[in-house]
Amino acid sequence: EPEVTQTPSHQVTQMGQEVILRCVPISNHLYFYWYRQILGQKVEFLVSFYNNEISEKSEIFDDQFSVERPDGSNFTLKIRSTKLEDSAMYFCASKPGGLIEQPQHFGDGTRLSIL
Amino acid sequence: AQTVTQSQPEMSVQEAETVTLSCTYDTSESNYYLFWYKQPPSRQMILVIRQEAYKQQNATENRFSVNFQKAAKSFSLKISDSQLGDTAMYFCAFFPSRYNNNDMRFGAGTRLTVKP
């Protein structure tokens, strides 16, 4: 069964550095998402992406964050000038189409540790 | 506010027994979609079951079933014949609007431990 894949599985970065988290959604999916889960807390929506543009973003997704689909297969989340509080698990998800009953398929996540 | 509340941070159950995880939510919409996701220690997010609010029949998937009470805005998950592999965090989630395909809201999660 096709899967959403995320790399790396664990990223350690110095505070203030930029980090790019990579995701390869399932190939025929059209809607893409990033979520964040701070250790021990709930999963929080960051951003959704469709037709090469952001559809919706949460208040967490400020100017520090950006997303890109550079080559038609990868979907990246860039965090500029990382802060300690950016340490979290970041999940990418995708779904095939606009039918809302279709569930999102999640990747295994990237654990981001900011030192 | 469109929120999801899971009031049980932790639960435990003996293997082969039945356990129910509770979830309540708040929305002003009349149709929406509800989901339960499982997050084992490996940290994946795995869809367990989903329910359309428009449908009165409770969804079932093998040992997993829901008790959906629309008027009470309650969406509990029942796990029958619990297995050790069911040990995980369980998140209740929903799309608060039939037409909002973007913003999935999650509860804080319930950590379930299945004991041998």
Side-chain angles (χ1 to χ4, degrees):
Chain A
E1 185 176 332
E3 296 179 340
V4 176
T5 57
Q6 290 185 242
T7 56
S9 57
H10 191 189
Q11 174 79 45
V12 181
T13 300
Q14 291 287 334
M15 185 173 62
Q17 297 294 308
E18 175 183 284
V19 66
I20 297 177
L21 308 183
R22 303 183 190 281
C23 170
V24 179
I26 296 173
S27 62
N28 63 344
H29 285 194
L30 301 176
Y31 290 78
F32 314 111
Y33 308 83
W34 282 102
Y35 292 85
R36 178 182 81 176
Q37 185 184 27
I38 295 172
L39 185 63
Q41 298 187 23
K42 69 169 68 177
V43 178
E44 300 171 293
F45 169 77
L46 290 177
V47 66
S48 59
F49 193 88
Y50 170 71
N51 199 27
N52 285 320
E53 60 183 20
I54 291 174
S55 306
E56 189 164 341
K57 58 184 180 180
S58 71
E59 60 275 11
I60 302 168
F61 194 89
D62 59 21
D63 292 342
Q64 182 194 11
F65 294 90
S66 62
V67 290
E68 198 176 36
R69 190 158 160 78
D71 56 12
S73 62
N74 291 285
F75 178 52
T76 61
L77 174 69
K78 182 189 288 187
I79 309 174
R80 287 180 284 274
S81 188
T82 49
K83 299 174 283 196
L84 292 177
E85 54 264 39
D86 294 327
S87 293
M89 197 79 171
Y90 288 81
F91 290 99
C92 173
S94 69
K95 60 186 287 184
L99 296 177
I100 200 164
E101 62 267 29
Q102 293 169 321
Q104 297 175 1
H105 296 253
F106 284 81
D108 290 349
T110 293
R111 183 183 302 278
L112 178 62
S113 299
I114 307 299
L115 304 179
Chain B
Q2 293 168 330
T3 58
V4 183
T5 302
Q6 292 179 250
S7 59
Q8 305 151 313
E10 292 190 28
M11 293 191 73
S12 63
V13 63
Q14 289 296 129
E15 194 176 7
E17 294 188 347
T18 296
V19 64
T20 299
L21 310 182
S22 65
C23 171
T24 59
Y25 57 91
D26 182 37
T27 181
S28 57
E29 299 289 334
S30 58
N31 196 20
Y32 41 88
Y33 285 84
L34 297 154
F35 306 88
W36 278 96
Y37 280 90
K38 169 184 176 181
Q39 187 182 45
S42 62
R43 303 304 299 273
Q44 297 169 289
M45 291 284 284
I46 303 166
L47 177 68
V48 175
I49 199 166
R50 60 184 165 182
Q51 172 84 40
E52 181 178 358
Y54 192 74
K55 295 182 179 177
Q56 294 182 345
Q57 186 174 9
N58 289 325
T60 61
E61 282 288 338
N62 301 314
R63 298 183 294 107
F64 299 89
S65 62
V66 299
N67 182 6
F68 174 51
Q69 302 288 330
K70 190 174 183 180
K73 296 180 181 176
S74 169
F75 181 59
S76 60
L77 174 70
K78 185 170 84 170
I79 306 174
S80 304
D81 186 24
S82 299
Q83 300 176 359
L84 296 178
D86 295 334
T87 293
M89 282 289 284
Y90 286 82
F91 292 96
C92 178
F94 83 132
F95 283 118
S97 165
R98 176 80 171 84
Y99 304 101
N100 181 349
N101 204 11
N102 297 317
D103 184 1
M104 182 179 279
R105 308 292 175 89
F106 286 83
T110 296
R111 184 178 304 280
L112 176 67
T113 302
V114 180
K115 298 179 179 179

